Amino acid sequence: MYLNEGRGLLLLVVFAGLQIAAECRSTPACRPGFSEDVYHAVLPHIAEKGELLFTVTFVDCGREEPVTLESSRPRDFRIEADGVIYAARRLRIAEHRAAPLVITASYATTNQHWETKIQLTPRTHQVQKAADLPVESQGLTEVVFPQRRADSQLKRMKRDWVIPPINVAENSRGPFPQELVRIRSDNDKSRSLRYSVTGPGADQPPTSIFIINPISGELSVTKPLDREHIANFHLRAHAVDLNGNQVENPIDIIINVIDMNDNRPEFEHQLWNGSVSEGSKPGTFVMTVTSVDKDDPKTANGMLRYKILSQNPESPSSNMFTINNKTGGIITVAAGLDREKVPQYTLIIQATDMEGNPMYGLSNTATALIRVTDINDNPPEFTTETFFGEVPENRVNVIVANLTVTDKDQPNTPAWNAVYKITGGDSTGRFSVPTDPTTNEGLVTVVKPIDYETSRTYVLTVVATNEIALARGIHSPRQSTATVSIRVTDVNESPYFEPNPKLIRLEEGMSAETTLTILTAIDPDRFMQQSIRYSKLSDPAHWLRIDPNTGRVTTTAILDRESPYVKNSLYNATFLATDNGSPAASGTVTLQIFLVDINDNAPRVFPQETEVCEKPEPNAINITALDGDLNPNAGPFVFELANRPADVRKNWTISRISGDYAQMSLRIGFLERGIYEIPIIVTDSGNLPMSNTSYLRVKVCQCDMHGDCTDQQHIIAAGLGTGAIIAILLCIIILLILVLLFVVWMKRRDKERQAKQLLIDPEDDVRDNILKYDEEGGGEEDQDYDLSQLQQPDTLEPDAIKPVGIRRMDERPLHPEPQYPMRSAAPHPGDIGDFINEGLKAADNDPTAPPYDSLLVFDYEGSGSTAGSLSSLNSSSSGGDQDYDYLNDWGPRFRKLADMYGGCDD
């Protein structure tokens, strides 16, 4: 009974799953080793060199260390790291049937190793003939499963042999699916079987490339294969019954993809750059060009050959280079490489597979640029044989001539850069020829002064070379040497003195108008008739004079060695010599006068001031002497006390310590405090000794236990002198006077400001002022008054008005103000009376006015005012006349008021 196809596949999958689970449960722990102890390999009679024969599998159980596989017959069989075995040479399999091939596996870090055997069998012993196949399978190679014992159904069986690889050409055009081989089991005669394949290309990615007919076992490929993508496939064939039970052990099927020439060679670069030195000999290596071909390099499809298609330019020969057809190395084959003629060559390189067969091979091209590098094969050559130049005498660091050269080598390289050397005509080394880095010219330069009077012309011989030596076999031509003719021109040179400076030795104290020396200048211009005049340039002490024509130096004063202008007994003066050339030139000389010391300075005691305790404790005073002269006209000195006054020798004593020092101390037991001036006679040791009486100022003071003075006067005397104290007192007095004057000036200024506030400008109108203000404010004793009351009510700001309920008793009530008449800016004198009368009427009718007679309302003035009452002024209620003549006595500012109110009615 047969199941339909869908149910059959379902049962097959279920049975396969149950079988895998059973095998997983029964599989022991993983141990490294070969998958089989003995492999059976069915091979063709003849195996070509490099042909894949068989594959062994080593189980490493996940170890990362690589395993080493070795063959027992490496000369015949070569095994790779992945277990694939190739023929190391052309073999006859029948000759290797007697002894199996042994494969050994081992790890480098351990001593463990494993072995397996491969029994080699010719293919005719295991493959059925085509005549024995069924009709529908005629023409297919049949692979038969090995027989297995009946009692080993649940036991993993070792395979008896290995199926040889199946070769399939890539890029096949079909038709697809294309049958490759038929898988058959001997058990298909007794029961129905189902066949299947597993592995990459079948049920693993890339899937569905290979399929098998489950009934007939025909294995087919479904699409063209690409060897460059996958070179071989490792499949495993299975045979199960209708219940899914495995009836045969799986067999390995290796499918090799046979390479076809379907890829052109590809150069790694389309443009290759190389270089070769000019003048290189034939056979000089230049560069290597390489290309790759994706086809199998073990076959002719991937075996490349190179050739040069063209050379540009074809000079001096069309075949300057050749290429190794296998490696791509380019070398020179002809002489004559010259950068100055051909700086670069362009080669078209072709790579062809099929071992360069032009008929069947595929080709590709690339470009090779070969640059010819420069060598120093061209020496520099001068553009002319003779160069000319001119230079003034005594000039240095000036360029006299430019030497130009030509060089055919590559510019700005050591083979082109010129180096110039003077080989003749400059024995004193006055010239040098550096190279201009930009133009490569030689710059003839003067490095030492040239004297026209010594030599008027120079003829130099200059040789030009390069920074690097010339190439072998190249010699410098005559044009590499040139002559430089230089003419020296005369200039007016400065006169000079010999020696300079000039030293003379004299005794100090030389009287005036004494001739010291004659300074004579030398004019280097021997060919010019010139005169020289002398003058004094520097004479710090104004001791010397020089004759402008003869150069005679005489004294104008006595020479003193102790002068501050003399340093270390030397006095320096500078003189100038000027010729009459055009332009004039001048030179200087320093006259050094060494003044020999004479005993012309008397010694004096030092120090000039000191102190001593009033009780003669052992605190003697050490003194010495100062002398402006030098030894032996100075020390040793002789110290002695003067005879007068008489108490000097009585109170003091002096003793000699050394030739320059003496010690002075009190002779009595007590001396009153004070300042004493002690005369001391000091005599030097000159040939004619000089003596001097110096006064030593001694402060006798009360001392503490340490021997230090404790008097305040001592502190003042030690800190400041009498002149300094007087100066400080004068400064203090002047400062006090200035402060007093400033205070007086400030008070006077305040009085003037107050007087200006009380007085009114005579130009102001007093009547207008009386009418303008109706409140005067407080009196002299009332200082806490409100200044706002002195203002016109109509001029007050709204926020200055007091709130209701806060008013003084004598303050006018809050009623509408009467309208007082306003006087014009310039009233006529005749209208003044009418103006006053109208103002009085308005005041009488003012309900806010106080009850006393007054023109205006005045605020409380205060008691004790020296001013008289203002109530005596006329109003409508009092018609008495007042006498205002007394206002004339108040000064000019009140005379207008007296005239207004004290005059007649007119």
Side-chain angles (χ1 to χ4, degrees):
M1 180 176 177
Y2 294 96
L3 299 175
N4 57 35
E5 184 176 357
R7 293 181 60 187
L9 291 175
L10 178 61
L11 291 174
L12 181 62
V13 171
V14 172
F15 176 76
L18 293 174
Q19 185 180 15
I20 291 173
E23 289 183 358
C24 291
R25 288 192 300 267
S26 61
T27 301
C30 180
R31 294 181 180 179
F34 288 98
S35 60
E36 303 290 345
D37 294 334
V38 178
Y39 291 92
H40 292 273
V42 179
L43 303 177
H45 285 283
I46 303 298
E48 299 294 337
K49 179 181 179 181
E51 183 178 349
L52 189 150
L53 302 178
F54 187 69
T55 300
V56 296
T57 302
F58 183 82
V59 180
D60 57 3
C61 295
R63 291 184 61 172
E64 296 181 356
E65 183 180 1
V67 66
T68 302
L69 300 177
E70 296 181 358
S71 170
S72 61
R73 283 173 275 179
R75 293 184 58 188
D76 300 328
F77 301 94
R78 176 170 56 87
I79 184 169
E80 299 294 338
D82 55 356
V84 179
I85 300 173
Y86 296 92
R89 59 186 180 89
R90 195 171 187 272
L91 302 174
R92 292 181 178 272
I93 302 302
E95 298 176 355
H96 298 274
R97 291 184 59 187
L101 176 64
V102 178
I103 302 299
T104 304
S106 62
Y107 287 109
T109 58
T110 62
N111 295 326
Q112 292 179 307
H113 65 277
W114 297 265
E115 291 184 355
T116 186
K117 297 180 180 179
I118 301 176
Q119 186 68 43
L120 304 178
T121 303
R123 181 172 297 173
T124 53
H125 293 268
Q126 296 296 334
V127 180
Q128 290 187 354
K129 297 180 180 179
D132 300 332
L133 295 177
V135 176
E136 63 272 15
S137 301
Q138 289 286 338
L140 286 180
T141 301
E142 185 177 87
V143 177
V144 182
F145 282 93
Q147 293 183 358
R148 53 183 293 176
R149 294 175 298 187
D151 58 350
S152 61
Q153 183 175 359
L154 298 178
K155 202 172 180 183
R156 183 168 178 261
M157 300 295 296
K158 296 181 182 179
R159 285 171 285 179
D160 296 329
W161 62 77
V162 176
I163 304 302
I166 300 172
N167 297 327
V168 180
E170 66 172 335
N171 302 326
S172 175
R173 297 184 178 180
F176 296 101
Q178 179 180 356
E179 293 82 3
L180 301 179
V181 69
R182 180 183 178 190
I183 308 299
R184 190 178 67 84
S185 173
D186 294 339
N187 294 321
D188 62 351
K189 298 178 180 179
S190 60
R191 49 183 169 174
S192 297
L193 301 179
R194 294 294 182 265
Y195 301 97
S196 63
V197 291
T198 60
D203 61 340
Q204 299 177 15
T207 58
S208 303
I209 294 179
F210 299 97
I211 59 175
I212 189 171
N213 189 316
I215 299 176
S216 63
E218 294 177 355
L219 180 65
S220 304
V221 59
T222 61
K223 57 183 178 181
L225 302 180
D226 186 2
R227 190 204 67 85
E228 288 72 36
H229 184 218
I230 301 177
N232 56 71
F233 297 87
H234 188 178
L235 303 179
R236 176 163 286 191
H238 306 271
V240 297
D241 58 14
L242 295 180
N243 295 325
N245 297 321
Q246 180 177 335
V247 296
E248 298 286 358
N249 288 329
I251 61 173
D252 293 326
I253 299 177
I254 297 176
I255 299 176
N256 292 329
V257 182
I258 304 301
D259 183 46
M260 304 295 290
N261 191 18
D262 57 343
N263 290 278
R264 290 181 177 275
E266 296 290 340
F267 282 93
E268 296 181 3
H269 306 285
Q270 282 300 311
L271 183 63
W272 297 79
N273 293 291
S275 62
V276 62
S277 299
E278 61 175 332
S280 297
K281 297 180 179 180
T284 302
F285 174 79
V286 180
M287 61 189 300
T288 299
V289 296
T290 56
S291 64
V292 294
D293 195 319
K294 295 180 181 179
D295 293 327
D296 190 357
K298 298 178 181 179
T299 65
N301 298 333
M303 296 181 181
L304 307 181
R305 297 295 182 266
Y306 301 92
K307 67 180 296 186
I308 297 176
L309 296 181
S310 64
Q311 170 192 312
N312 184 35
E314 297 180 355
S315 174
S317 172
S318 59
N319 296 317
M320 296 294 296
F321 305 93
T322 186
I323 189 171
N324 188 309
N325 64 345
K326 293 183 179 180
T327 64
I330 300 175
I331 59 175
T332 61
V333 293
L337 291 175
D338 190 350
R339 188 202 66 84
E340 288 72 34
K341 295 180 179 178
V342 181
Q344 181 175 281
Y345 289 91
T346 302
L347 305 181
I348 304 300
I349 310 298
Q350 184 186 57
T352 306
D353 57 15
M354 298 298 292
E355 297 181 298
N357 190 321
M359 182 70 67
Y360 304 103
L362 302 178
S363 301
N364 212 336
T365 60
T367 303
L369 297 180
I370 301 176
R371 182 172 56 90
V372 181
T373 58
D374 185 41
I375 63 172
N376 192 15
D377 57 345
N378 293 281
E381 298 180 0
F382 286 101
T383 56
T384 182
E385 294 183 356
T386 306
F387 296 87
F388 299 93
E390 182 178 283
V391 60
E393 65 173 333
N394 300 323
R395 295 285 300 276
V396 294
N397 298 326
V398 293
I399 298 175
V400 215
N402 290 14
L403 311 182
T404 55
V405 295
T406 59
D407 196 320
K408 298 178 182 179
D409 292 320
Q410 186 174 356
N412 301 314
T413 61
W416 179 81
N417 297 334
V419 178
Y420 301 90
K421 182 180 180 181
I422 300 175
T423 59
D426 186 24
S427 59
T428 57
R430 301 185 180 276
F431 300 91
S432 68
V433 189
T435 304
D436 189 324
T438 304
T439 62
N440 210 29
E441 295 179 349
L443 309 177
V444 181
T445 307
V446 181
V447 294
K448 293 182 180 180
I450 302 175
D451 188 6
Y452 172 82
E453 286 72 24
T454 303
S455 179
R456 300 185 182 183
T457 58
Y458 287 88
V459 179
L460 309 179
T461 302
V462 181
V463 175
T465 58
N466 291 121
E467 291 182 355
I468 59 176
L470 291 172
R472 182 178 299 179
I474 306 297
H475 302 283
S476 297
R478 186 175 60 86
Q479 290 81 2
S480 295
T481 304
T483 301
V484 183
S485 179
I486 301 173
R487 186 172 67 90
V488 184
T489 59
D490 191 16
V491 296
N492 186 21
E493 299 177 79
S494 301
Y496 65 93
F497 294 86
E498 287 185 356
N500 190 7
K502 185 175 183 179
L503 176 66
I504 60 176
R505 187 182 182 91
L506 300 172
E507 280 191 358
E508 66 171 328
M510 186 74 66
S511 62
E513 302 302 330
T514 301
T515 300
L516 300 182
T517 185
I518 297 177
L519 299 177
T520 303
I522 302 173
D523 192 350
D525 299 312
R526 298 194 305 268
F527 301 100
M528 297 183 183
Q529 300 299 326
Q530 299 180 145
S531 61
I532 298 176
R533 292 185 64 83
Y534 302 91
S535 60
K536 184 172 63 174
L537 189 62
S538 173
D539 182 15
H542 304 286
W543 287 344
L544 306 176
R545 180 176 63 246
I546 188 170
D547 187 284
N549 297 318
T550 62
R552 183 186 300 274
V553 180
T554 58
T555 61
T556 60
I558 297 177
L559 306 184
D560 185 9
R561 192 199 67 82
E562 288 74 33
S563 170
Y565 300 104
V566 178
K567 306 296 182 184
N568 298 324
S569 300
L570 278 177
Y571 179 75
N572 294 324
T574 306
F575 297 92
L576 183 69
T578 307
D579 61 21
N580 61 346
S582 179
S586 60
T588 61
V589 63
T590 300
L591 179 62
Q592 293 182 336
I593 304 174
F594 184 84
L595 297 176
V596 179
D597 184 42
I598 62 174
N599 194 14
D600 58 348
N601 290 277
R604 63 185 185 276
V605 70
F606 181 81
Q608 295 181 352
E609 295 182 0
T610 185
E611 61 185 25
V612 66
C613 294
E614 57 185 357
K615 293 183 178 180
E617 298 292 337
N619 55 352
I621 302 170
N622 292 332
I623 60 174
T624 184
L626 296 179
D627 196 329
D629 296 323
L630 300 176
N631 290 329
N633 295 323
F637 301 100
V638 176
F639 301 90
E640 59 181 342
L641 295 173
N643 295 326
R644 294 181 182 276
D647 58 348
V648 172
R649 290 180 176 268
K650 178 181 178 181
N651 298 336
W652 302 89
T653 180
I654 191 168
S655 59
R656 179 186 178 91
I657 298 178
S658 65
D660 294 332
Y661 291 92
Q663 191 176 75
M664 192 180 69
S665 58
L666 282 170
R667 301 180 66 176
I668 58 178
F670 178 80
L671 187 63
E672 292 184 358
R673 285 177 288 176
I675 297 176
Y676 301 85
E677 291 186 353
I678 303 171
I680 301 175
I681 301 174
V682 185
T683 305
D684 60 21
S685 300
N687 190 13
L688 295 176
M690 295 189 69
S691 298
N692 182 30
T693 301
S694 299
Y695 288 89
L696 178 62
R697 185 183 178 90
V698 179
K699 172 64 182 287
V700 178
C701 60
Q702 184 179 1
C703 299
D704 57 11
M705 58 182 298
H706 300 290
D708 298 328
C709 282
T710 58
D711 295 344
Q712 184 66 23
Q713 295 180 357
H714 159 71
I715 298 174
I716 297 175
L720 297 173
T722 303
I725 296 174
I726 294 173
I728 293 175
L729 292 176
L730 289 176
C731 291
I732 294 174
I733 293 172
I734 293 172
L735 182 61
L736 292 176
I737 293 173
L738 291 176
V739 172
L740 182 60
L741 291 176
F742 179 74
V743 172
V744 172
W745 177 75
M746 290 296 294
K747 288 185 176 181
R748 185 176 179 182
R749 185 178 178 187
D750 291 340
K751 289 181 179 181
E752 291 179 355
R753 186 182 299 111
Q754 293 175 2
K756 289 182 180 180
Q757 293 176 355
L758 293 175
L759 298 179
I760 302 176
D761 191 353
E763 298 297 325
D764 294 337
D765 194 344
V766 178
R767 294 169 297 175
D768 189 20
N769 291 335
I770 292 174
L771 292 173
K772 184 175 182 181
Y773 300 98
D774 59 347
E775 291 181 4
E776 189 174 1
E780 287 84 350
E781 297 179 2
D782 185 14
Q783 297 298 325
D784 188 17
Y785 53 81
D786 187 10
L787 295 179
S788 64
Q789 298 299 323
L790 299 179
Q791 299 178 352
Q792 292 274 359
D794 54 346
T795 61
L796 292 174
E797 294 295 332
D799 57 354
I801 301 176
K802 296 180 181 179
V804 179
I806 306 177
R807 301 180 71 251
R808 286 170 43 183
M809 295 297 297
D810 58 343
E811 190 175 358
R812 50 201 289 189
L814 297 176
H815 292 287
E817 295 289 337
Q819 298 296 323
Y820 289 93
M822 299 300 293
R823 176 170 165 258
S824 61
H828 192 273
D831 297 335
I832 294 177
D834 296 338
F835 179 82
I836 294 175
N837 292 329
E838 291 178 2
L840 291 174
K841 291 178 183 180
D844 291 338
N845 297 325
D846 186 3
T848 64
Y852 47 82
D853 187 11
S854 175
L855 276 175
L856 298 173
V857 178
F858 297 96
D859 204 349
Y860 176 71
E861 191 175 25
S863 62
S865 176
T866 59
S869 176
L870 298 178
S871 300
S872 60
L873 295 176
N874 266 336
S875 67
S876 60
S877 60
S878 62
D881 296 333
Q882 298 290 333
D883 186 6
Y884 296 101
D885 292 336
Y886 65 90
L887 295 176
N888 293 319
D889 298 333
W890 288 9
R893 297 181 179 271
F894 293 89
R895 288 176 183 173
K896 280 191 176 184
L897 189 61
D899 293 340
M900 291 171 57
Y901 293 96
C904 61
D905 294 338
D906 295 337

